[in-house]
Amino acid sequence: MGEMKRAIAREEQERAKAMEEQKRMTDRFASTLVIAASIIAAIRLAREQDISRPSPRLTSVVTDSIGLARMILEKIVR
């Protein structure tokens, strides 16, 4: 029974370490992600007449740009 508790504790430590590493990578590239998503959104919205007020199109473009920037960043990091 003691071996099982040690194995569980070891798995929890490994999981916590992996989560900490993931958080560190996320924090490290957060500014890069913001810049990349901003550039992508700016290019997609360059011909839009009025972007001063939130609209469904604006929200959609920003959301898509963030997703694309994340995908690119994940490919680069791997």
Side-chain angles (χ1 to χ4, degrees):
M1 194 65 151
E3 290 179 29
M4 182 64 92
K5 288 182 180 180
R6 283 193 294 263
I8 291 171
R10 191 173 26 240
E11 286 178 11
E12 288 175 355
Q13 286 177 339
E14 289 173 3
R15 190 175 301 122
K17 185 177 178 182
M19 289 177 66
E20 183 178 319
E21 179 67 25
Q22 180 68 28
K23 184 181 182 316
R24 191 175 322 129
M25 290 296 287
T26 302
D27 291 347
R28 179 177 173 200
F29 292 113
S31 60
T32 304
L33 185 64
V34 168
I35 293 168
S38 298
I39 292 169
I40 294 166
I43 291 169
R44 289 182 171 182
L45 293 169
R47 295 180 189 244
E48 199 66 31
Q49 294 295 326
D50 183 25
I51 59 170
S52 61
R53 284 184 258 144
S55 68
R57 170 142 170 72
L58 178 66
T59 304
S60 176
V61 168
V62 171
T63 303
D64 290 345
S65 299
I66 293 168
L68 182 57
R70 281 186 177 149
M71 184 180 69
I72 293 167
L73 188 59
E74 285 176 8
K75 296 281 185 181
I76 291 171
V77 171
R78 290 182 189 192

